[in-house]
Amino acid sequence: MVGAFGRWASVMLLLCAASDGRLLAADELDENDPRPGLHAILSDSEHSVTRTDRRLNFDWTDCAVDSRIGENFKARWSGNLLVRQPGDHTFHASLSGRVKVLVDGKVVVDAIGDDIFYSGQPASLSAGDHQIDVTFESTPKEDAKLQFFWSSPSFTLEPLPADVLSHNPTALNDSPASVGESGRFLSDALRCSACHNGISELPTLNAPSLQRAGDLSHESIVERLLSPQKANSDSMMPQFGFSKEEANHVAAFLHEVGAKENVEGVTEVEFKSTDVDSGSKLLLTTGCAACHKLSQLPDKAVGASPYHGPNLANVAKRRSPEWLMKWLLSPKELNTDHRMPVFSLSDDERRQIVASLVQSSSAQVTEESKQQQQQQQMDTASIAEGRKLVIAANCIACHRITGIEAAAKKQVRPMIAMGLGGLNRGNSCVASNDIERPKPTTHQPRFSLNTVQREQLAAWYNSISHDLRTANHFAKGELLLHRNGCLACHDRDQMKGLSKQAGSIESKRDDLRGQSQALIPPELTAVGDRLKEEYLLSAVAGEQT
């Protein structure tokens, strides 16, 4: 039976993320507790890497099995298979390559071919966990593919689901793989590839455009330059060691080149007495908590981390009500590089959300700071000095800035080969804040990372032995799911989105009691099995009503 499930299964792969980039806290799981997915070892003729895969469902057409591995490769997955109903189980594979599957040491699949569908002989399995080992080898004739299925008298043919696969990290020495996967996403979210060569799988994630920096107050720009985390506690922006005077120069330059947005059609916002309460409910029920920290949920971790949006608890310090109204209507007009989903909100709903956001902060720009801002903006010498500082700090590597060109990238691999010790050197942008910078200072960026995050980066970088290959198809979709916060909202393959917070959200308001399930968006597990390709594509594009 050749290619019978090819098109149907390829749809399922569109949103099939292979690994979870989030590292669980030490107090959440014991080191001996089973982890979701199978432990994978991937190798080519030169080296091998490890990772965790939640599903055995891959299509490597026109792309590598892993950005760190060559085209001709071998792979082995090990772990546990949970059988819920005892009886005969038949395992199936749609593949291009060679695959061999053992359950409790017995061969249940052994096949080789190009674009074939193979069914093994039924195997009698008791209820409970069974050891599973899968080996796969690519062939030079065809693009590699492996899609794994099973069936039994109690259920029809289905993809092997993620919730039946697990592994013991201690037994398989899986810790480096888990930590490294978290480092992969952290490196991407920190935009390390903006300055360094050899570590990008996709074009560098755009930081907010500064072409409209005139919308920000001089005071807020200075505060963010001096201490990004003080201005916004969830900021991923590094510090550059600017003095207060230098920060004023940079702010003056950005105001000079950053046009102010014409908010024509957006008049001064006049709030109604019920807006704050209505807006607070909308913030909790529209999914904002998936990507942003809210004043209504101050202690909840943001699921989209490390790709999260700014802290909204103090957004009134940075943005006017009119700007926020415009942003909720059309974010692209204010920032061409935004990642904000566009919600279908009425004018009343947008006003209510803005009312709830601005009431949470009493910060005001003082008359003295306004005068300082006007004086600074008129100082041409300060503007010129700010331009020099922006160039020296290479701000253009991450942000769009009118009239500035990006500097040449640095090679990163000689540094990362030294592991965590190399990352902690004084000239490293991710070194501990306890380590003194070499003198004289050069306005090199320094990220505020904790020890766990530096270990994640070191584990990921140490697994790279050559320039990463550009992600394509499957791997690109996996990264984009994380970049765009899809998995912060939607559950998928045992990765929890807003379902983790639904109970907390429900408890915040009496009028949400009993509605926790209504707060959870559709699950994306096996979404290709439920939706036609055309509908799925239009839904991802935001074209469904």
Side-chain angles (χ1 to χ4, degrees):
M1 184 174 178
V2 179
F5 287 84
R7 177 171 175 78
W8 173 84
S10 68
V11 177
M12 179 177 60
L13 290 168
L14 179 65
L15 291 176
C16 188
S19 60
D20 181 8
R22 288 165 286 187
L23 187 67
L24 292 171
D27 59 351
E28 291 184 79
L29 282 177
D30 184 87
E31 64 177 8
N32 294 316
D33 285 341
R35 303 292 200 271
L38 299 180
H39 175 70
I41 301 176
L42 313 171
S43 60
D44 56 22
S45 59
E46 299 179 356
H47 58 283
S48 64
V49 298
T50 61
R51 72 185 193 193
T52 302
D53 288 330
R54 289 178 176 263
R55 281 176 173 268
L56 293 178
N57 242 318
F58 311 99
D59 187 347
W60 298 297
T61 302
D62 296 328
C63 62
V65 60
D66 189 286
S67 60
R68 300 164 290 175
I69 293 294
E71 293 181 358
N72 297 318
F73 67 91
K74 296 180 180 180
R76 180 185 177 187
W77 293 270
S78 304
N80 304 314
L81 171 70
L82 174 63
V83 174
R84 294 189 171 91
Q85 295 290 334
D88 287 345
H89 287 68
T90 304
F91 296 88
H92 318 262
S94 176
L95 73 147
S96 291
R98 178 166 189 172
V99 66
K100 189 173 184 178
V101 183
L102 284 77
V103 176
D104 293 333
K106 298 180 180 179
V107 177
V108 296
V109 170
D110 190 354
I112 183 172
D114 296 326
D115 195 24
I116 67 168
F117 188 87
Y118 176 88
S119 297
Q121 294 298 315
S124 179
L125 299 175
S126 61
D129 281 333
H130 298 264
Q131 182 180 352
I132 183 170
D133 287 280
V134 181
T135 56
F136 179 85
E137 184 174 352
S138 64
T139 58
K141 294 182 180 180
E142 193 79 23
D143 289 314
K145 178 178 69 173
L146 175 62
Q147 300 162 256
F148 206 49
F149 308 83
W150 68 346
S151 60
S152 83
S154 59
F155 59 86
T156 58
L157 179 77
E158 67 175 14
L160 195 66
D163 61 4
V164 303
L165 301 176
S166 64
H167 68 282
N168 186 311
T170 303
L172 294 169
N173 191 27
D174 185 51
S175 179
S178 300
V179 177
E181 287 159 15
S182 298
R184 176 197 182 197
F185 293 112
L186 183 58
S187 173
D188 185 56
L190 291 175
R191 304 172 177 88
C192 298
S193 62
C195 294
H196 300 287
N197 277 321
I199 56 172
S200 60
E201 299 176 86
L202 288 179
T204 303
L205 183 67
N206 290 323
S209 171
L210 296 180
Q211 291 177 312
R212 297 198 182 279
D215 293 331
L216 286 165
S217 71
H218 181 95
E219 186 179 56
S220 65
I221 295 176
V222 170
E223 182 182 30
R224 182 165 297 196
L225 290 170
L226 294 177
S227 179
Q229 284 69 43
K230 182 179 179 181
N232 174 14
S233 61
D234 292 332
S235 175
M236 300 286 283
M237 179 177 167
Q239 289 182 289
F240 290 88
F242 290 128
S243 66
K244 180 69 175 291
E245 181 181 16
E246 289 173 328
N248 275 308
H249 293 325
V250 172
F253 168 72
L254 293 177
H255 264 282
E256 176 68 15
V257 300
K260 291 183 70 67
E261 170 62 18
N262 178 12
V263 289
E264 182 179 352
V266 180
T267 58
E268 183 176 351
V269 183
E270 296 183 4
F271 297 118
K272 298 180 180 179
S273 59
T274 58
D275 280 351
V276 171
D277 183 66
S278 298
S280 179
K281 183 178 180 180
L282 283 168
L283 282 171
L284 290 172
T285 58
T286 312
C288 305
C291 294
H292 301 276
K293 190 167 288 185
L294 304 175
S295 58
Q296 293 89 344
L297 298 165
D299 300 323
K300 288 296 176 182
V302 179
S305 181
Y307 296 99
H308 53 271
N311 187 337
L312 295 183
N314 59 359
V315 69
K317 292 175 59 179
R318 308 187 300 274
R319 299 297 187 183
S320 69
E322 291 73 27
W323 191 96
L324 292 170
M325 288 287 287
K326 183 81 172 184
W327 175 258
L328 289 173
L329 177 65
S330 180
K332 189 172 184 179
E333 291 187 45
L334 297 176
N335 178 10
T336 55
D337 298 322
H338 79 94
R339 291 184 291 131
M340 171 88 171
V342 181
F343 294 94
S344 298
L345 300 170
S346 67
D347 290 344
D348 286 340
E349 288 172 327
R350 287 188 291 115
R351 188 191 67 248
Q352 290 162 359
I353 289 176
V354 171
S356 181
L357 291 174
V358 300
Q359 67 86 35
S360 63
S361 174
S362 59
Q364 299 292 330
V365 179
T366 64
E367 192 63 36
E368 180 182 354
S369 66
K370 288 181 179 179
Q371 293 175 359
Q372 180 188 21
Q373 174 181 331
Q374 292 171 355
Q375 181 179 357
Q376 199 78 42
Q377 286 178 311
M378 292 186 293
D379 189 342
T380 55
S382 178
I383 293 170
E385 186 61 28
R387 178 185 174 85
K388 293 179 183 178
L389 289 166
V390 165
I391 293 174
N394 197 25
C395 303
I396 192 64
C398 294
H399 302 275
R400 293 180 192 264
I401 305 174
T402 303
I404 303 291
E405 294 183 1
K409 291 187 179 183
K410 304 170 186 176
Q411 184 59 269
V412 72
R413 283 186 286 112
M415 178 190 75
I416 63 179
M418 293 180 284
L420 185 58
L423 293 180
N424 266 334
R425 291 181 60 178
N427 61 349
S428 168
C429 51
V430 295
S432 169
N433 289 330
D434 297 331
I435 297 176
E436 187 177 354
R437 247 181 223 276
K439 303 293 184 181
T441 182
T442 57
H443 295 304
Q444 178 181 333
R446 174 163 291 188
F447 293 90
S448 295
L449 304 179
N450 57 39
T451 300
V452 171
Q453 289 172 320
R454 289 194 297 275
E455 289 174 348
Q456 292 170 354
L457 288 176
W460 171 244
Y461 290 150
N462 281 335
S463 72
I464 301 172
S465 62
H466 54 71
D467 288 356
L468 292 181
R469 293 172 172 83
T470 301
N472 200 353
H473 301 304
F474 188 90
K476 182 182 290 186
E478 177 194 6
L479 277 169
L480 289 175
L481 280 171
H482 286 271
R483 277 189 173 190
N484 291 293
C486 306
L487 302 182
C489 282
H490 301 270
D491 290 358
R492 180 173 176 77
D493 293 344
Q494 295 185 287
M495 290 182 284
K496 299 298 183 182
L498 277 172
S499 63
K500 290 188 301 185
Q501 301 191 58
S504 297
I505 293 173
E506 176 193 355
S507 68
K508 296 299 179 181
R509 297 179 62 96
D510 290 338
D511 55 0
L512 291 180
R513 298 291 183 180
Q515 298 185 41
S516 61
Q517 289 303 309
L519 301 173
I520 302 173
E523 188 174 353
L524 293 184
T525 298
V527 66
D529 191 20
R530 293 180 275 119
L531 299 179
K532 292 183 177 180
E533 182 174 5
E534 294 77 11
Y535 187 96
L536 185 55
L537 289 172
S538 62
V540 172
E543 296 169 353
Q544 291 295 337
T545 57

